């Protein structure tokens, strides 16, 4: 029993002195982690003395869970770890508490401030009255006062003379507020006959005023009185008509009910009630729109101030740095290239050569980026996340972090599809490139071939008297590494990279993950300003406060300046790679921006599907005079059609707009294509090819338009029409279903019949069909037959099996996909 749960045993082993500690800490994920590690160590170094662990470990079981061989030293370590974790936890809790308290106080203060003025006036009045009457009644009530004081001890009474009255006023607010100025006068007039219910009303009466300022004891009674008063009001459910403080209530496009109440300083329950009376059944956590909020705000007698949601972002708007504030910064380098051409090896080789040497312990922690210093003294920052997807997705999220791309091409291979992709990505991002011709140690290496290959893709290296630096390297032998670093340093110098270190930090997330022990952790590349411990920030849809910074050597640092990669701890959620981090001056700002973004993202996802349509693109082009280029991506079934399309595209265009093919390739539309399209706001054109499933999902999510064509003229016509802003009513295809071919039969009289499973949508007898093999269209036509079991049917829905045969086409194979489509006319929406 005990061995399915190391807690107990550990508690026993802990000497009984603080089993509580142990247990409690265990309930926390962090601590648990520490112990698991320790256990593993123990297994490696087993010791006698298992008997000691007694009953707790008595049961045999998974040895890794049995604490039998724990040495005292081990135990000590564990306890220490447990205690350390606990202390940290307590510290954090205290910090959180303090923060929460500070926030609460701030809210309270603001609320009170607004009321303070009014209250003061009333109090002055009250004090005056009290004074006048005091003189008159002082003698008469002297005796009674003494009596009352005694009575008050049993039945708490409010305080007395001017000064304490003022102090308690806010607490008595509830009771006092309903009284309007003239009410008070009435009461003042009634004052004399009022003695007996002065206690009940909780208002300042003469008797109370007279009962003398005796200090502490009286005060605490006042507190009790206040409490009683509150309880009474609550019990009566009496919602006193409070004297209104008219507020200007800021309302964004949508606001949570609770937050609205907060901003009006009204009770949530009242607001919910008001909403119900207006026919809206909502809870405090639901969001209402600004119009509804306006109704409610008016009902409560406040003024609405509408703010655009996006305004919350204004506080982090890019500040223009003055030229004199800019200091040189290290370049940021991304390594790209075809798979297996040696990106990872090269990154490792550079790090091994430049970082590990001279490092204490020689342990480098992987944080997604690292810095090296060249022999010439230049510091270079390498992003340790090779791959185009990372590069482009970061760009799509607004983080252009890379200053220089190192394009790796293996000398024993050639320019490959992903090499071309990398070139296009770099070009689209307008980032300079350096070519590293890798694997030059290999006997079959042919660097010259690589250079000539690159020519075809408009990359003219220096050896070919071009501008692009090229270096022959070997990740294995280390050959050319220094030259490569020098080439990078040279390129960096040309770029004159600068940033202002003395401002609120801004950076980009390179990597982020949820760490079991440390919570959400993000590797951030600081781009400008200096990020410091304790800074409050917003990052994407998350926010946080820097609890700790860890550099690429795994050391804790207090701050990180421009081009420095650091791990940031203290996030309240996990951001995504490419998210931008901005330091804000207050936590409220950070939180507000994060919330706004979260909502905006939700809306965007909801509205996705039509974000990057040709029409919108053109609309944008018209609005923005600078946009004269219409970027597109083209994927085709064969090289020939891709080239033909690119050529046709280049001819399109006039003085105002030009079509720019960002990337043209062969094969299915991939996620990477969609990423590039999103980053550049381009649609993707598939010519006789389809998007694979991940790409389709990505496109749906990101709102990237994918258009499919099977006739080049159609494609060209559409782009032409879009370019001239004359997109006419068009016939558009709609995919209504997909079916997967499981088997192929020969049926006499019919020919070859495909046994299919409809995987998506419906298969319809009357619809058009295409045969896809590896996402490439190999046939388009109509169905000769659609059968469910033995019967000819007009429709088969998703999840069902059916038999299909094509009209005049026989080359069908298992694993082919049948696409079922219909054509419909779409009105132009411009
Ligand atoms: P990546 O996919 O681009 O990250 O490529 P890797 O770094 O994983 O390398 C792919 C393969 O090429 C591995 O087997 C490496 O050992 C090998 N490789 C990488 N660089 C060199 C090199 O300079 N010389 C030789 N001979 N092999 C290399
Ligand atoms: Mg790799």
């Amino acid at each position: 029993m005990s061995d399915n749960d190391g807690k107990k045993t550990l508690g026993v082993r802990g000497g009984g002195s603080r089993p509580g500690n142990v247990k409690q800490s265990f309930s926390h994920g962090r601590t648990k982690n520490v112990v698991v590690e320790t256990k593993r160590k123990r297994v490696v170094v087993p010791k006698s003395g298992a008997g000691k662990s007694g009953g707790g470990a008595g049961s045999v079981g998974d040895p890794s869970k049995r604490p039998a061989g724990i040495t005292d030293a081990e135990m000590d370590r564990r306890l220490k770890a447990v205690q350390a974790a606990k202390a940290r936890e307590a510290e954090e809790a205290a910090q959180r508490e303090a923060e929460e308290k500070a926030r609460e106080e701030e809210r309270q203060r603001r609320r009170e401030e607004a009321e303070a003025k009014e209250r003061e006036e009333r109090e002055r009045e009250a004090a005056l009255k009290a004074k006048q009457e005091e003189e008159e009644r002082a003698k008469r009530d002297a005796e009674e006062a003494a009596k009352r004081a005694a009575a008050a001890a049993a039945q708490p009474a409010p305080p007395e003379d001017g000064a304490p009255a003022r102090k308690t006023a806010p607490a008595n607010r509830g009771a006092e507020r309903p009284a309007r100025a003239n009410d008070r006068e009435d009461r003042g007039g009634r004052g004399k006959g009022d003695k007996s219910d002065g206690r009940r009303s909780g208002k300042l009466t003469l008797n109370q005023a007279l009962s003398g300022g005796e200090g502490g004891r009286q005060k605490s009674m006042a507190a009790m009185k206040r409490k009683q008063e509150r309880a009474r009001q609550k019990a009566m459910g009496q919602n006193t008509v409070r004297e209104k403080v008219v507020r200007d209530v800021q309302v964004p496009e949508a606001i949570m009910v609770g937050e609205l109440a907060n901003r009006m300083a009204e009770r949530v329950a009242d607001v919910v009630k008001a909403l119900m009376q207006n026919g809206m059944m909502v809870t405090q956590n639901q969001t209402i729109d600004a119009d509804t909020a306006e109704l409610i705000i008016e009902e409560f007698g406040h003024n609405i101030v509408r703010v655009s949601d996006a305004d919350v972002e204004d506080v982090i708007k890019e500040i223009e740095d003055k030229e004199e504030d800019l200091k040189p910064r290290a370049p940021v380098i991304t390594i790209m290239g075809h798979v297996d051409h040696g990106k990872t090896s090269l990154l490792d080789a550079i790090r091994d050569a430049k970082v590990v040497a001279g490092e204490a312990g020689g342990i480098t922690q992987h944080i997604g980026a690292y810095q090296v210093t060249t022999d010439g003294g230049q510091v270079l920052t390498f992003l340790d996340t090779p791959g185009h997807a990372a590069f482009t997705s970061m760009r799509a999220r607004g983080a252009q972090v890379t200053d220089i791309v190192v394009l790796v091409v293996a000398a024993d291979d050639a320019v490959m599809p992903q090499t071309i992709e990398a070139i296009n990505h770099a070009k689209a991002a307008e980032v300079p490139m350096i070519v590293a011709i890798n694997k030059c140690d290999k006997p079959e290496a042919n660097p010259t071939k690589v250079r000539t290959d690159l020519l075809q893709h408009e990359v003219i290296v220096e050896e070919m008297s071009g501008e692009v630096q090229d270096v022959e390297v070997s990740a294995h032998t280390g050959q050319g590494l220094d030259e490569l670093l020098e080439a990078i340093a040279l390129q960096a110098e040309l770029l004159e990279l600068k940033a202002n270190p003395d401002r609120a930090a801004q950076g980009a997330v390179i990597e982020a993950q949820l760490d079991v022990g440390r919570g959400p952790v993000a590797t951030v590349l600081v781009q400008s300003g200096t990020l410091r411990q304790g800074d409050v920030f917003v990052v994407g849809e998350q926010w946080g406060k820097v609890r700790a910074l860890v550099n690429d050597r795994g050391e804790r640092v207090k701050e990180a300046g421009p081009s420095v990669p650091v791990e940031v701890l203290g996030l309240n959620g996990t951001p995504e790679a490419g998210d931008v981090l901005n330091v804000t001056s207050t936590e409220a700002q950070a939180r507000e921006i994060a919330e706004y973004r979260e909502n905006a993202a939700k809306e965007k996802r909801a509205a996705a599907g039509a974000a990057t349509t040709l029409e919108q693109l053109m609309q944008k082009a018209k609005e923005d005079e600078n946009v004269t280029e219409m970027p597109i991506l083209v994927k085709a079934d064969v090289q020939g059609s891709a080239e033909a399309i690119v050529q046709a595209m280049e001819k399109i265009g006039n003085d105002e707009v030009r079509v720019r093919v960002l990337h043209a390739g062969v094969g299915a539309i991939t996620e990477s294509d969609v990423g590039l399209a999103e980053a550049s706001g381009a649609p993707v054109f598939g010519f006789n090819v389809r998007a694979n499933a991940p790409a389709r999902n990505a496109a749906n999510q990101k709102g990237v338009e994918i258009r499919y064509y099977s006739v080049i003229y159609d494609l060209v016509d559409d782009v032409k029409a879009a370019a001239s802003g004359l997109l006419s009513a068009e016939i558009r295809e709609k995919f209504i279903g997909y079916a997967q071919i499981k088997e192929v039969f020969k049926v006499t009289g019919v020919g070859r019949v495909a046994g299919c499973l409809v995987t998506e949508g419906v298969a319809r007898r009357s619809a058009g069909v295409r045969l896809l093999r590896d996402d490439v269209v190999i046939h388009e036509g109509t169905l000769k037959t659609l059968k469910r079991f033995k019967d000819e049917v007009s429709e088969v829905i998703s999840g069902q099996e059916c038999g299909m045969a094509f009209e005049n086409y026989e080359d069908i194979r298992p694993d082919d996909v049948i696409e079922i489509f219909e054509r419909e006319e779409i009105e132009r929406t411009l």
Side-chain angles (χ1 to χ4, degrees), residues 339-657:
V339 67
D340 279 349
H341 278 198
K343 299 179 292 292
T344 308
S345 306
L346 203 55
L347 271 164
D348 289 346
I350 293 168
R351 180 168 37 200
D352 290 348
K354 295 291 162 187
V355 181
V356 178
E359 190 128 305
I363 304 155
T364 22
Q365 193 183 344
H366 176 90
I367 71 160
Y370 63 82
Q371 288 197 311
V372 300
T373 308
T374 64
D375 294 341
Q378 245 286 26
V379 177
L380 312 176
T381 303
F382 281 90
L383 294 189
D384 199 355
T385 45
H388 315 161
F391 178 80
T392 307
S393 81
M394 291 188 60
R395 205 158 68 78
R397 300 178 146 265
Q400 172 97 324
V401 293
T402 303
D403 300 310
I404 297 167
V405 165
V406 170
L407 179 70
V408 179
V409 190
D412 63 337
D413 202 350
V415 168
M416 299 295 279
Q418 281 169 286
T419 317
I420 300 166
E421 214 178 88
I423 294 170
N424 290 331
H425 282 233
K427 278 186 179 166
E430 293 173 0
V431 173
M433 206 159 46
I434 293 170
V435 176
I437 304 171
N438 191 31
K439 307 199 187 182
C440 285
D441 59 297
K442 283 198 167 182
E444 65 268 38
N446 187 354
T448 313
K449 180 174 180 300
V450 171
R451 293 188 182 99
T452 39
D453 268 10
L454 284 170
L455 278 178
Q456 289 172 13
H457 302 280
E458 286 158 47
V459 177
I460 309 158
V461 299
E462 283 181 339
E463 276 260 325
M464 313 295 268
S465 44
E467 305 262 279
V468 179
Q469 297 189 79
D470 57 318
V471 187
E472 291 180 18
V473 298
S474 164
H476 276 191
T477 65
Q479 169 203 338
L481 286 189
D482 283 329
E483 282 98 313
L484 178 61
L485 295 184
E486 286 310 322
I488 294 168
L490 184 69
Q491 181 65 58
E493 246 169 65
L494 292 173
L495 292 173
E496 292 184 26
L497 304 163
K498 284 179 179 170
N500 177 8
D502 302 311
R503 51 168 282 185
Q506 186 243 300
V509 176
I510 311 288
E511 275 185 347
Q513 73 268 345
L514 186 64
D515 190 303
V516 190
R518 303 184 296 170
V521 178
T523 301
V524 172
L525 178 78
V526 179
Q527 293 183 286
S528 62
T530 300
L531 185 62
R532 297 189 170 86
Q533 208 174 332
D535 278 350
V536 175
F537 60 85
V538 56
V539 53
E541 295 166 35
Q542 312 296 339
W543 63 280
K545 185 173 183 178
V546 179
R547 192 172 72 217
L549 295 172
V550 181
N551 71 8
D552 55 344
R553 285 136 213 229
E555 303 155 350
R556 282 235 180 176
V557 288
K558 287 268 180 254
E559 55 175 50
S563 291
V564 177
V566 272
E567 257 189 349
V568 176
L569 279 71
L571 289 140
N572 78 332
T574 314
E576 287 181 52
D579 277 345
V580 176
L581 177 145
N582 285 97
V583 168
T584 61
S585 39
T586 71
E587 204 171 293
Q589 280 174 357
R591 195 201 304 251
E592 206 173 10
I593 296 169
E595 274 168 14
Y596 158 66
R597 287 179 179 169
E598 199 182 333
N599 289 332
K602 258 186 221 148
E603 276 161 29
K604 190 184 168 195
R605 276 192 283 274
T612 325
T613 63
L614 273 172
E615 289 91 339
Q616 283 177 345
L617 213 65
M618 283 319 302
Q619 192 64 42
K620 225 167 58 192
K622 277 184 187 158
E623 282 162 12
D624 181 356
E625 286 171 11
N626 298 327
V627 176
T628 52
E629 276 188 340
M630 192 176 104
I632 63 167
L633 255 83
V634 176
K635 287 309 268 295
D637 52 349
V638 291
Q639 190 62 38
S641 25
E643 276 164 17
I645 292 166
V646 171
Q647 275 169 18
M649 292 296 123
E650 278 165 1
K651 285 190 200 132
I652 298 177
N654 48 35
D655 301 342
E656 287 152 30
V657 76

Side-chain angles (χ1 to χ4, degrees), residues 244-249 251 255-283 286-306:
K244 272 300 176 223
V245 175
V246 177
R247 286 164 212 284
D248 288 337
V249 183
V251 178
I255 187 168
M256 227 153 74
V257 174
E259 178 60 21
L260 176 63
N262 190 21
R263 290 188 189 186
M264 295 194 295
E266 302 286 353
R267 287 182 13 195
V268 176
D270 295 344
V271 177
V272 170
K273 206 155 94 191
L275 279 161
M276 278 184 185
Q277 278 157 3
N278 280 294
M280 286 192 67
M281 300 299 164
V282 291
T283 67
Q286 270 172 301
T287 302
I288 56 173
D289 61 25
D291 292 335
T292 312
E294 179 164 13
L295 217 77
I296 300 302
I297 289 168
E298 276 169 2
E299 205 158 288
F300 278 85
H302 301 295
N303 300 323
I304 184 169
V305 179
R306 288 197 190 228

